[in-house]
Amino acid sequence: MSGPPGEGPVTPGPVTPGPDGPQSPGPGTPQDAGTPAIATSASGDAPPPASGGEETAQDGRQPFGRIILESIVEGNSAMVTTLAIVAAIVVGGLLIAFTDPVVLTAWSNFSANPGNAFAQAWDSAAGSYSAMFEGAIFNPHTIAAVFQQASLASALHDGYVSAVFNPLSETAVNATPLILAGLAVALAFRAGLFNIGATSQWIGGAMLATWLGFGVSLPPFIHCVVCVIGGFVGGAVIGWVVGVLKARTGAHEVIVTIMLNYVMEYLLSYLLGTSALGKPGSNDLISPNIAGSAVLPHIAGPSLRINAGFLVALAAAVGVWWLLSRSTLGFEFRTVGANPSAARAAGMSVERTWILVFLIAGGLAGLSGAAVVQGTDHFLTFQSYGTYGIDAITVALLGRARPLGTVLAALLYGGLYAGGVQMQAVTQTPASMTEVIQALIVLFVAAPAFVRALFRLRGAKAGGEGQTLAKGWSG
Amino acid sequence: MKLELRGITKRFGSLTANDHIDLTVLPGQIHALLGENGAGKTTLMNVLYGLLQPDEGEFILDGQPTAFHSPKDAINAGIGMVHQHFMLVPVFTVAENITLGVERTHALGLLDRRRTRRDVRELSERYGLHVDPDALVEDIPVGVQQRVEIVKALLREARVLILDEPTAVLTPGETEDLFRVMRELKAGGTSIIFISHKLREVQAIADTITVLRRGKVVGERPPTASDSELALLMVGRKVELRVTKAPAQPGDVVLDVAGLTVPTGDHLLTDHPAAVDDVSFQVRAGEILGIAGVQGNGQTELCEALMGLLPSVAGSVRLSGRDITSATPRDRLRAGVGYIPEDRQEDGLVTDFSVADNLILDVYDRPPFASGLSLNLDAIRSTAVKRVADFDIRTTSTSTPTGTLSGGNQQKVILAREIGRDVKLLVASQPTRGLDVGSIEFVHRRIVEQRDQGVAVVIVSSELDEIYALADRIAVMYEGRITGFRPPTTSAEELGLLMAGAGTGPDAGTQAGAASDSPGEPTEPV
C-alpha cells in the first residue's frame, strides 16, 4: 500500500545495475539497428529498411489515412517545402512563357533567331513574375511617386505613402481568412483528424456573424467583438456536430465534413432567400450590409484594406501554438493524434478529444468567415465561402500543420492572389496562372521524393533509423 | 554445405551493426547465434540472406566466394530463412503457401494442385514435420505455421536454414517439437543457424555457440559451457540470472477479481465466445501473481479489462474493496493502478514524443506538471532528468524521441512512469518481451522492489522463466480460463500441461474437457 511518494521527489532507487563495465545498449543505440524488422517474402527484392522495434514491429497495420498524413506532415522537411515552392515557380514560369503568343511566335522562328526565342521567353516569365511581386509585396514606382511629392506630409496626405504599402495590405487581407481556416485544418491534423469541412464551418461562422452584424445594434467596439465571437461560435457548433458524430457513432469525419459542406452551402442559399438572413426587397441571394459598428476597423489608414481581422488571425495562430505546445489539452490532442491506443491506455478520452478538436477547429474556420464578412465584404452572398475551405487544406499541408507554417503558407497564398490580380492587369498573363502555381506547389509538396531527387537531397528517410523520428513536436 | 562468413561488416550511419564477423557453419551442424537484442544477430542474417548488402567481407560456400544481391540469390545458393514474423498468406492453404513463387504447373501454366500437394506431403513426412497440405494457414496453430515456413525453405532446397528467434512464439511443448525437427534436419545433412537470446535453448540444441555482443563475435563455445559463462560473454558483465528475492509477505487483498468475463472482439473469427471466461483471483499487497499461458489465451484481454480498456460483460473488479468494474481507465490510474502494456510501442509509448513527454503521458494534467490548462515545462523537464537518472534510461537527452531508443530503454521509460507514481497495484503484461538480459534483470529487480514496498503485482508472461523468476503464486490461463493456481515450485512439465489446457488442478475440474477443443495437433507433453 505504500510506495514512493507520488509526483513528489522519488526515492532514489537503491538498486541500479552495477556501474562496472560496459553495459547493454549505449545511448541511443537502436536495436538491431536498421535491419528490416520484417523482410519481404523469399522471392521478393530487398525491402526498404523498415524502422521499428524488435519484436513488436508490425508495419503496414496503420490505417491508410494516417500514412498519408504522416508522410505529408512529418515526412517533409522545411527544406523540401521551400524547394517545392521554388520548383513550382520555375515550372510556372515555363508555363507562363509558353502560353504567351509572342513567345510562341518567336519559338516558331527558332532556327532563324534562337537568341530572340530565349529572350522572349525570359521576358514573358520575368515580366509576369515582377508584376506579381509588385502586386504582392511592393512596387518601386510607388516609392518613386512618394519622392516626387513636395514634402512627406503632402505625400502622406495624398495617399502616396499608403500606395507603397497597398501590395502588402492586399497580401495580408487575402491571407487572413486562409490563416484562420488553415489553422482549423492544421489543428485537426495534429490530432490525427482530417477536417475537410472548413467550408461548412466557415459558413456557420459567417452566417452567425452576419446576422449579429445587421440584426442587433450594440455600441461600436462591443458590436464588433460580439460578431467575432459569434463567428467562432457559429463555426464551433458545426465542428461540434462532426466531433459528436465521430465519437458517438464512429462516422468517419471525412465523409461527415464533406457532406456537411453541402448541407451548409444549401442552407446558406435557402436562408439568404428568406427574411431571416436575406436582404429585404432583393431577389438576389444576398444579406443586408452589417452595421458600421460591426465592421472590423482598418489598422493602417482608411485607404488600405488591411483590418483588425489580420490581427485576429495572428492572435489565433499564437493561441493554437500555445494550445498545442504549452497546454494540457494540446498534449492530449497530440497524443491522440500520434497514437490513440497509447492515449487510451494513459487514461485519456479519445472521443472527448475528437469532439473538442472539432469544436475548436470549427470555431477557427468560423472566425475565418467572420473576418471576411466583417473585414472586407460586409455582407454575405450564396457563394461568399468561395474556395477558402479547400485552400485551407493546402495551406495547412504546406505549413506542415504547424501554426507558424500555416501563417507563412497563407501569406504565400495571399501574396499569390494579390500578385495575380496585378499580373493580369500589367501583363496579359491570366490571373488563373496563380492557381496553376498554387496547384504546382501542392503537387511538389505531395511528392517529396521527387523534390529530393530533383535537388539531389539526401533522403531523410533513407539514411537509416533515428533520422526518421528525430523531429520535435513542439510548435 | 560449408558456409563461411569472413570479415562481414555492416554499418548504418555511425553505428556498426556488424563488425568484421567471422563465422563458419559446418554441414549438418546446428550453429547457435547467441546475443542480446541489438547485438547484430538479425542484421547479420539479413546480410547473409541478401536483404542487406555488407559494407565489407565475403561469404564462402564450399570454398567458392559468393555474393548475394537479393534473397533470390541466397535462395538459389541454398540458404533458407524462417523469419521471426511469418511470411504466410492466412487465407491460402498450407500447400499454396509453400509453393508460392515456385508453383507447380501444367503445360498450359495452370496450377497442378495434385503435384503441389504430393510434393508438400512427401517433404514434410521425410522430416517428420506433419503438416496438412490442405489446411488453411489461418486455422493452424503458430507452431505448425512455423513448420510450414520450414517446409517452404526445404522445398526451395535450402541446405543452410536460418531460424530467427523461432521459439519466441511457441509453448514449451511446441519448442520441444521444433527441436526434434531440427535434429532430424541435421541428421539429413541440413545446417541450421539458430538465433536466440535464451541460454537454456541454445545449450539444449546447439552443436556450437557463437556469441555476439555489440556487433562483434566475442567468443565461440561448446554447448557444455555454463550459464554464467555464456551470460557473461553476452552481456559483457556479470549478471544475476535469477533475481534474489525475499519470501513474500502478503498483506491485505488489493485486487479482487470475481467471475470476470470479457467477450471476444471478433465473434465471427473465433468459435470461442469469451476472451476471458469467468476468471476469479485475488492479489494481496506485497505479492506477485504470475499469470502463465501461451500467448493468445485471453491474457491480453484480461489486462485490458483490468485497466478498463475493454468492457466486461460479467463479474466484478475490486481495488482495495472499492468496486472499479465500470470505472474509466483514468479513474483506475488515479486510484493507484500502474499499467505496463504488452505492446509497448503501440499502447505504452508515443514513439514520436520525447522521453520527457512519455514520462508524463498519464499524469500530464496534474500538478506539478500542469497548473490549470498550462503545462509546466520546467517541472516536466526536471522530473524527466531525475527519472532518466533513477531508472538508468540510456538516452542522449530527455527530448530524444522514444522511438529511437532501444527496446530496453523504452521499457524503462514506461516503468519509470508507472511506478514513479504512487501505485497500489501494478499490472504488467509481458514486461520483458524482446529485452536483453541486462534490461530484463533491471525490470525484474524493480518489480520485486515494488512488491517489497507493499504493491500488489500481476505479471502476465508467456515465458516460464519470467514467471519462475518473479511469481509468488502462479495462475495458468488457457482459452480464457484459469486452469489452475500453483506454487512457484511447480515443475515446468506440470505448468506446460496446464498451459496446453490439460489442467486437472483442484480448481480446474470443469476445464478438463477443454483440451479436446485445441485446434490442430495436440501439444505433446514435454
Side-chain angles (χ1 to χ4, degrees), chain B residues 313-324:
Chain B
V313 288
S316 68
V317 181
R318 287 173 171 278
L319 184 71
S320 300
R322 187 186 139 201
D323 191 342
I324 56 164

Side-chain angles (χ1 to χ4, degrees), chain B residues 32-337:
Chain B
L33 214 49
L34 182 70
E36 296 186 299
N37 288 297
K41 299 169 301 210
T42 303
T43 304
L44 183 64
M45 288 305 109
N46 283 333
V47 170
L48 174 58
Y49 197 53
L51 286 163
L52 296 170
Q53 300 306 313
D55 296 318
E56 282 170 42
E58 58 179 354
F59 304 113
I60 296 164
L61 283 176
D62 289 335
Q64 291 290 318
T66 321
F68 304 132
H69 299 291
S70 72
K72 212 163 205 160
D73 292 350
I75 291 164
N76 290 339
I79 292 172
M81 183 152 174
V82 175
H83 297 274
Q84 214 169 335
H85 301 277
F86 304 147
M87 307 285 151
L88 299 172
V89 185
V91 294
F92 280 15
T93 66
V94 166
E96 284 167 341
N97 266 291
I98 288 171
T99 54
L100 206 63
V102 289
E103 291 86 357
R104 275 37 179 167
T105 51
H106 289 294
L108 285 172
L110 298 169
L111 287 176
D112 186 344
R113 289 170 194 279
R114 225 166 37 146
R115 196 148 69 88
T116 305
R117 264 201 297 273
R118 199 190 56 215
D119 286 359
V120 169
R121 188 165 287 137
E122 267 178 23
L123 200 60
S124 67
E125 273 164 18
R126 197 186 315 156
Y127 295 104
L129 283 158
H130 307 296
V131 293
D132 172 9
D134 297 318
L136 289 183
V137 162
E138 62 185 3
D139 293 339
I140 60 177
V142 176
V144 182
Q145 290 185 11
Q146 192 170 54
R147 282 185 231 159
V148 172
E149 285 280 17
I150 295 174
V151 177
K152 212 165 121 183
L154 294 177
L155 192 79
R156 288 160 179 77
E157 288 163 3
R159 285 169 297 153
V160 176
L161 190 63
I162 305 167
L163 302 176
D164 189 1
E165 302 270 0
T167 58
V169 289
L170 304 182
T171 60
E174 284 175 322
T175 302
E176 272 312 310
D177 278 355
L178 174 69
F179 285 178
R180 186 177 50 74
V181 168
M182 284 167 69
R183 288 191 193 100
E184 296 223 13
L185 287 170
K186 175 178 135 181
T190 309
S191 314
I192 296 173
I193 301 178
F194 175 68
I195 301 180
S196 182
H197 61 259
K198 296 184 191 166
L199 300 175
R200 206 161 35 84
E201 290 175 357
V202 165
Q203 290 164 325
I205 189 77
D207 297 315
T208 307
I209 302 168
T210 296
V211 186
L212 285 186
R213 188 172 79 231
R214 294 198 177 186
K216 288 186 183 151
V217 173
V218 289
E220 204 169 287
R221 294 286 183 277
T224 48
S226 71
D227 281 6
S228 49
E229 185 186 0
L230 289 172
L232 181 69
L233 272 177
M234 205 164 130
V235 186
R237 66 184 165 87
K238 206 155 163 36
V239 280
E240 284 179 55
L241 292 172
R242 185 67 74 85
V243 214
T244 43
K245 55 174 182 137
Q249 293 174 338
D252 297 336
V253 172
V254 172
L255 178 68
D256 185 358
V257 177
L260 191 69
T261 302
V262 179
T264 40
D266 263 320
H267 296 281
L268 297 174
L269 290 182
T270 56
D271 43 4
H272 205 71
V276 178
D277 194 358
D278 193 18
V279 163
S280 305
F281 61 88
Q282 291 185 337
V283 190
R284 292 172 178 275
E287 81 164 347
I288 299 177
L289 175 71
I291 298 182
V294 180
Q295 216 179 319
N297 276 286
Q299 303 98 314
T300 312
E301 289 83 355
L302 174 64
C303 287
E304 292 188 353
L306 287 180
M307 292 314 300
L309 295 165
L310 275 182
S312 55
V313 288
S316 68
V317 181
R318 287 173 171 278
L319 184 71
S320 300
R322 187 186 139 201
D323 191 342
I324 56 164
T325 314
S326 52
T328 64
R330 171 159 293 175
D331 288 344
R332 296 179 202 226
L333 292 166
R334 297 281 192 261
V337 184

Side-chain angles (χ1 to χ4, degrees), chain A residues 199 202-203 264-265 268 380-389:
Chain A
T199 302
W202 191 100
I203 295 171
M264 292 305 291
E265 285 167 18
L268 175 65
L380 197 56
T381 77
F382 73 104
Q383 47 195 12
S384 287
Y385 51 84
T387 57
Y388 296 124

Side-chain angles (χ1 to χ4, degrees), chain A residues 57-243:
Chain A
Q58 284 278 341
D59 291 350
R61 267 193 339 191
Q62 289 183 312
F64 182 62
R66 188 170 299 282
I67 294 172
I68 297 182
L69 205 154
E70 274 175 12
S71 65
I72 293 178
V73 174
E74 287 306 301
N76 280 359
S77 63
M79 177 60 99
V80 169
T81 308
T82 313
L83 292 176
I85 294 168
V86 171
I89 287 174
V90 170
V91 175
L94 291 174
L95 284 173
I96 290 172
F98 289 94
T99 50
D100 185 336
V102 180
V103 177
L104 290 177
T105 315
W107 277 78
S108 63
N109 299 321
F110 182 79
S111 53
N113 189 351
N116 183 47
F118 281 108
Q120 290 291 346
W122 173 256
D123 285 350
S124 175
S128 295
Y129 277 135
S130 66
M132 195 182 265
F133 180 83
E134 285 166 11
I137 297 171
F138 112 105
N139 186 342
H141 302 303
T142 56
I143 294 270
V146 169
F147 286 110
Q148 281 160 14
Q149 300 308 307
S151 68
L152 191 63
S154 72
L156 264 173
H157 182 263
D158 297 337
Y160 285 99
V161 171
S162 28
V164 173
F165 293 103
N166 192 51
L168 284 176
S169 159
E170 285 305 299
T171 295
V173 164
N174 281 310
T176 300
L178 291 179
I179 293 174
L180 288 162
L183 289 172
V185 178
L187 179 70
F189 267 145
R190 293 290 293 276
L193 298 167
F194 289 90
N195 182 8
I196 315 295
T199 302
S200 61
Q201 298 144 18
W202 191 100
I203 295 171
M207 287 200 305
L208 193 52
T210 309
W211 183 79
L212 288 169
F214 70 78
V216 299
S217 56
L218 287 164
F221 179 73
I222 295 173
H223 197 181
C224 193
V225 171
V226 164
C227 287
V228 169
I229 293 172
F232 187 92
V233 171
V237 168
I238 308 300
W240 175 80
V241 169
V242 178

Side-chain angles (χ1 to χ4, degrees), chain A residues 1-2 6 10 15 23 31-33 35 39 42 47 55 326-328 332 335 338-339 341-342 346-348 469 473, chain B residues 12 15 38 40 42-43 51 75 84-85 87 214 330 346 349 352 364 373 375 387 394 401 405-406 420 445 453-454:
Chain A
M1 222 64 63
S2 68
V10 170
V15 202
Q23 291 182 356
Q31 58 290 339
D32 267 1
T35 51
E55 293 206 343
R326 292 287 183 275
S327 77
T328 56
E332 235 166 83
T335 307
N339 186 346
S341 45
M348 298 177 189
L469 296 162
W473 268 84
Chain B
F12 297 102
L15 183 102
T42 303
T43 304
L51 286 163
I75 291 164
Q84 214 169 335
H85 301 277
M87 307 285 151
R214 294 198 177 186
R330 171 159 293 175
E346 187 60 25
L349 295 169
D352 290 342
Y364 64 95
L373 261 185
L375 288 175
R387 295 265 199 276
R394 304 298 177 82
L405 303 187
S406 72
R445 281 165 85 159
Q453 288 173 1

